[in-house]
Amino acid sequence: MSKKLATKEYVDKEVVGPRIAINSISDINNAISNYYGKTLYLVTEQSINFGGATLPAYSIIIIPCVCANTDMIGFVSNISVSGFWAIGYRANTQVWSIRQIY
């Protein structure tokens, strides 16, 4: 018996969400609520403050798997690659946070 493997095009269509421009944390929340189970690529059009830590404009946020009602983690790099952050979401408190790694 041979089994057919899913093609890259099929997997991309099923799990990769669109690239979305965002301006605020509420824009992130809207993208999350619309694309459960997908990988998201978000681009900040302006600086966004996450409770004391600020992502610069034109940062790229990658959230590998958008989940419903659970914690999530993603990664962020700005366009000049002069910074790298981890971004996390706590479902029980509904709070986003970031921590600069580089």
Side-chain angles (χ1 to χ4, degrees), residues 37-87:
K38 303 276 187 184
T39 296
L40 282 185
Y41 297 93
L42 309 171
V43 178
T44 60
E45 292 185 317
Q46 62 188 23
S47 297
I48 299 176
N49 187 312
F50 286 83
T54 302
L55 285 180
Y58 306 109
S59 294
I60 300 166
I61 302 170
I62 301 168
I63 301 174
C65 183
V66 174
C67 304
N69 303 317
T70 189
D71 297 349
M72 291 178 276
I73 189 166
F75 301 97
V76 183
S77 179
N78 63 355
I79 199 156
S80 64
V81 194
S82 61
F84 189 78
W85 296 262
I87 183 170

Side-chain angles (χ1 to χ4, degrees), residues 50 86-90 95-99:
F50 286 83
I87 183 170
Y89 177 75
R90 297 292 308 257
V95 172
W96 287 96
S97 60
I98 61 170
R99 179 169 299 238

